[in-house]
Amino acid sequence: MAPGGGRRSRVPVPARQARCVPSDGSGRRPRHFGGSLGARRAGSDRAGRAAAWAPPSWVPGASALNPPRARGDRAAGLLEQVSDHRGARALRPVPRPRQHASMDDGPLPSGIKVFTTCPDLLFSLEFVFGGLVWILIASSQVPLPLLQGWVMFASVFCFVGTTALLFLYLIGAHGGETSWVSLDAAYHSAAALFYLSAAILEALAMILMEDKVTYEHYLENIFAAMFSYIAALLYVVHAVFSVVRWKWPSVNNS
């Protein structure tokens, strides 16, 4: 009511101002009303953009960053997991299989090829003549042990080493590895030096024992000296070809 008893006239609110009037009818504009509305709108926009972006399915671990939406569709989730797994396998580097050198293509022979390949076919001759040297010297009862002791050591050592290498080559123990080429060259070079010195000492012992032993023992030492020179020549030839095979593999392959 008006103070004079009359009725209070209602003042119309402009339309532009009515949009800012809250619903409680207080007539007061709320504090920070426009700022909170702008913040809510900006937050909703950022949330929409974040929800719209998702990593592609081929990135490893994309299923953890972008899980399937809860729609009750388990098939969609399984398909995404399968695609992630395939993408991870596609990006993973595939290791190349290690290639081993076959014994047939290797630098050293194996099996029956030992007796048909140069210089490995000399193994059998070295075995025969080297064995005859120490057998004949031992049969003559070693008349001069000071000189013939080294001859016995060198001949027995080379006989055992040649037998072992021949057996290993026959069974293909080297497996086509190139490290065996170095071993072959080193062994035959050492065996050649051993037999050259042994042949010289055996010839000297044969000259010195001419009047000190029986004719049978003297004859055995003559043959021992002759076979030691043959064995030394075989080991020298084998060593030369082994060094060539080790130093220049292309010459041996051609």
Side-chain angles (χ1 to χ4, degrees):
M1 297 290 294
R7 301 181 62 181
R8 179 184 299 176
S9 61
R10 180 177 297 179
V11 180
V13 180
R16 184 174 181 180
Q17 187 179 358
R19 289 181 298 180
C20 300
V21 176
S23 59
D24 54 358
S26 60
R28 292 177 302 175
R29 186 174 182 176
R31 192 175 183 180
H32 305 298
F33 180 78
S36 61
L37 180 61
R40 286 197 300 270
R41 288 180 179 177
S44 62
D45 293 342
R46 286 194 298 269
R49 287 194 299 268
W53 181 87
S57 60
W58 53 266
V59 176
S63 58
L65 298 175
N66 185 27
R69 295 183 177 86
R71 296 179 181 179
D73 191 1
R74 294 181 58 86
L78 291 176
L79 288 176
E80 290 186 5
Q81 292 179 3
V82 170
S83 62
D84 295 343
H85 180 68
R86 290 179 178 176
R89 289 186 61 184
L91 293 176
R92 187 184 307 166
V94 179
R96 296 182 178 180
R98 186 178 179 181
Q99 297 178 356
H100 297 274
S102 61
M103 291 186 294
D104 296 335
D105 299 334
L108 295 176
S110 59
I112 199 64
K113 290 185 178 181
V114 177
F115 302 105
T116 59
T117 306
C118 183
D120 302 291
L121 55 87
L122 300 177
F123 270 120
S124 56
L125 298 176
E126 295 165 357
F127 177 82
V128 172
F129 289 102
L132 287 174
V133 170
W134 68 265
I135 289 174
L136 289 172
I137 295 176
S139 179
S140 66
Q141 299 178 0
V142 193
L144 298 176
L146 186 61
L147 294 177
Q148 293 178 314
W150 172 254
V151 180
M152 286 292 295
F153 169 77
S155 59
V156 171
F157 171 79
C158 294
F159 179 80
V160 174
T162 300
T163 306
L165 274 183
L166 178 61
F167 177 74
L168 293 175
Y169 285 8
L170 286 175
I171 65 176
H174 52 78
E177 297 291 336
T178 56
S179 59
W180 282 73
V181 180
S182 304
L183 174 65
D184 184 81
Y187 167 73
H188 284 97
S189 299
L193 294 177
F194 282 8
Y195 250 107
L196 282 174
S197 61
I200 294 174
L201 290 178
E202 178 59 22
L204 179 61
M206 181 191 65
I207 296 173
L208 295 177
M209 71 176 64
E210 183 176 0
D211 299 331
K212 298 178 181 179
V213 296
T214 62
Y215 180 74
E216 182 181 356
H217 290 171
Y218 181 69
L219 192 61
E220 289 173 350
N221 282 273
I222 291 176
F223 282 106
M226 182 179 61
F227 292 149
S228 64
Y229 276 102
I230 295 176
L233 179 61
L234 292 173
Y235 276 108
V236 168
V237 174
H238 200 153
V240 170
F241 280 96
S242 297
V243 171
V244 169
R245 179 169 56 188
W246 165 65
K247 194 67 176 178
W248 298 281
S250 59
V251 176
N252 182 69
N253 295 334
S254 59

